[in-house]
């Protein structure tokens, strides 16, 4: 069945004067920003829709008693256990007893180091700035070695989001620290510890000393500063204090000889604190973080205290998410690909994947010839770009091979035990990768989470099943619209692997600058025209887009649009597309592109976006069509129309 997108034939707006409102006028008029939100757009709509789909799936699994050991049983029982607040309440803090005993048994540096090693969790995914525990680990290929997986270690263990929260002397931050300290005290009091105020003060002071050794955000964002290969012996020399033998042994990394240390100052700093801080503050610190870490599966009072700080104070949420929402998030976290299998079975069948695959093949073919014809890229650089494109892995919808959860035991009625076993399972799975070759098609995102992930290292990109649904992609729908919407979005992401973001990673995802200085100079000269074009967009009399800040996203939008259009033309194989709903294929292609960007937002949100976001407001992203000749033909846009740009002034870049 062909689904024709809601028509805008009646639009009073001329496409050449305001294409965004021509395409989205009726949607903008009838949509409202949900209460408590600052904006509403396709992405929000999709998240809402997918959340409901996932909720239904998981709740169905919980209501049906599936065969023991099946993924539906695991998903259903994980969720049901998490939801069983009565059962959780009845157990009190008893599930933490073993860990509390282990913490109480810490008496010296060796036992402290061993305990810290046991918390080195591999739940960190390469995108988290501050790991949940003192040091986070991520198993991935080396920055310069695409053949072997290595443990990447980075800073972590702070209860506040970042280093500046501890150091910034402003009144606001002083107040935040006081609130955090009060929260720590409340948690310890809940757990029955005497002198909770004194303990809280000591914990905050330990975290403050840790934070001072953390890399500042600017360093943490610079990947070249993260590439610090350390041998096992380096830890003893460069980071004295911790008993590293004991640490790595209990972390499951005994015998590992090579590491990448992302922030050496933090490893050195935290290690020194193991020596100097004294055992008591460390024990209290570990007790507090243990309770926080498992707050979701502890009695409601612990979860409520957690929310009172992290939800209300830090995130400004007035109301705790309903318990089901937390249970779904936890189930996704523990059994992401199991839920993903249930999700794709129902919502993203192999036929949908096959249809996206055809489009992706067209997109890469189109991008290949775009690269070959670039005027600003030197022949040597083009060769590298083409090799990188040929090697690029593109994951669509869901993985070809799913994680095998057969050794993970999920027991109804044991929320805490399920969480612990899932953590141990994921940790073992990750550590095992150290003995396996690099797998560039390992999925970093769950199919049921709407989104795209560019890995760079390895050289791979992933588009989840949940992002490949209407309004972006309709597996039963019109091709022209799919190419104009999802196609342009996918080509946008692909282009990032070749632009100023991706030009520091080669075809194998190794850190290496592969553009020459001349390439960069000529690219920037082209890009300057796009900066000027966006500088001229002013949504309010005192507010204009900052072209430079949004340049790399706008260049990717333009690349995405151009490449997707080429791909659409390729897909027709010389035929003329049918007319649907009175529109040619060319018209539907550009209309779908403009519809991608519809968004309602408050003035506050608009001002915030222009001040800090690297993406321009949707209206101006839609205006990328002004640089594309085919749009002028499709909508008969001529000199005199407000969006008209003279052919010689249209920006190409890609
Ligand atoms: Zn982008």
């Amino acid at each position: 069945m062909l689904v024709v997108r809601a028509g805008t034939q009646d639009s009073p707006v001329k496409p050449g004067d305001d294409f965004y409102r021509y395409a989205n006028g009726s949607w903008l008029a009838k949509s409202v920003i949900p209460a408590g939100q600052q904006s509403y757009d396709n992405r929000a709509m999709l998240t809402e829709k997918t959340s409901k789909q996932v909720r239904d799936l998981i709740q169905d699994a919980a209501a049906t008693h599936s065969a023991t050991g099946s993924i539906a049983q695991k998903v259903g029982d994980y969720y049901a256990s998490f939801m069983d607040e009565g059962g959780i309440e009845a157990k009190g803090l008893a599930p933490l007893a073993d860990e509390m005993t282990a913490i109480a048994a810490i008496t010296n540096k060796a036992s402290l180091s061993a305990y810290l090693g046991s918390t080195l969790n591999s739940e960190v995914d390469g995108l988290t700035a501050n790991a949940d525990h003192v040091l986070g680990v991520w198993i991935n290929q080396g920055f310069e070695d695409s053949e072997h997986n290595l443990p990447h270690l980075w800073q972590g263990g702070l209860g506040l989001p970042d280093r500046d929260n501890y150091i910034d002397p402003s009144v606001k931050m002083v107040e935040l620290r006081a609130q955090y300290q009060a929260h720590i005290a409340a948690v310890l009091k809940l757990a029955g510890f005497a002198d909770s105020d004194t303990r809280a003060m000591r914990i905050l002071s330990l975290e403050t000393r840790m934070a001072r050794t953390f890399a500042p955000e600017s360093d943490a964002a610079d990947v070249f500063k993260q590439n610090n290969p350390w041998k096992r012996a380096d830890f003893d020399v460069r980071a004295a204090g911790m008993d590293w033998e004991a640490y790595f042994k209990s972390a499951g990394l005994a015998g590992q000889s090579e590491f990448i240390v992302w922030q050496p100052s933090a490893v050195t700093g935290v290690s020194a604190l193991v020596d100097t801080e004294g055992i008591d503050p460390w024990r209290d610190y570990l007790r507090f973080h243990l309770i926080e870490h498992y707050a979701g599966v502890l009695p409601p009072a612990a979860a409520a205290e957690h929310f009172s700080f992290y939800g209300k104070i830090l995130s400004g949420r007035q109301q705790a998410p309903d318990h089901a929402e937390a249970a779904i998030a936890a189930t996704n976290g523990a059994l992401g690909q199991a839920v993903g299998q249930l999700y794709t079975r129902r919502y993203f069948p192999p036929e949908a994947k096959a249809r996206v695959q055809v489009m992706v093949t067209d997109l890469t073919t189109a991008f290949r010839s775009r690269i070959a014809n670039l005027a600003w890229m030197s022949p040597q650089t083009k060769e590298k770009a083409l090799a990188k494109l040929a090697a690029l892995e593109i994951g669509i919808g869901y993985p070809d091979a799913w994680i095998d959860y057969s050794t993970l035991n999920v027991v109804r009625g044991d929320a805490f035990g399920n969480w612990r076993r899932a953590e141990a399972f994921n940790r073992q799975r990750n550590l095992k990768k150290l003995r396996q070759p690099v797998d560039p098609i390992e999925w970093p995102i769950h199919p049921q989470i709407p989104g795209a992930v560019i890995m760079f290292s390895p050289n791979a990109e992933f588009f989840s099943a949940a992002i490949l649904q209407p309004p972006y992609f309709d597996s039963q729908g019109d091709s022209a619209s799919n190419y104009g919407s999802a196609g342009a979005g996918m080509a946008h992401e692909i282009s990032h692997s070749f632009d100023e973001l991706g030009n520091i990673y080669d075809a194998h995802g190794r850190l290496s600058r592969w553009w020459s200085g001349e390439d960069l100079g000529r690219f920037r000269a082209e890009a300057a025209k796009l900066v000027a074009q966006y500088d001229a967009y002013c949504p309010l009399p005192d507010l204009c887009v900052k072209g430079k800040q949004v340049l790399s996203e706008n260049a990717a939008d333009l690349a995405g649009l151009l490449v997707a259009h080429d791909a659409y033309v390729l897909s027709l194989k010389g035929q003329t597309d049918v007319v649907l709903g009175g529109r040619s294929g060319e018209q539907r292609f550009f209309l779908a592109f403009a519809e991608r960007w519809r968004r309602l937002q408050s003035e506050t949100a608009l001002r915030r976006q222009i001040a800090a976001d690297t993406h321009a407001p949707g209206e101006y992203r839609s205006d990328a069509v002004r640089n594309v000749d085919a749009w002028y033909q499709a909508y008969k846009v001529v000199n005199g129309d407000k969006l008209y740009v003279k052919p010689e002034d249209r920006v190409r870049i890609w």
Side-chain angles (χ1 to χ4, degrees), residues 492-493 496 553 556 615:
H492 167 121
E493 303 301 343
H496 277 319
E553 292 305 325
H615 301 84

Side-chain angles (χ1 to χ4, degrees), residues 131-151:
D132 190 40
H133 300 284
V134 165
L135 302 191
V137 65
W138 181 47
I139 312 296
N140 198 47
Q141 72 176 59
F143 282 117
E144 289 160 58
D145 176 359
S146 58
E147 304 285 311
H148 299 97
N149 282 315
L150 292 172

Side-chain angles (χ1 to χ4, degrees), residues 493-508:
E493 303 301 343
I494 292 170
S495 79
H496 277 319
S497 285
F498 302 87
D499 67 8
E500 280 194 278
L501 300 178
N503 70 6
I504 54 172
Y505 294 95
D506 72 10
H508 302 286

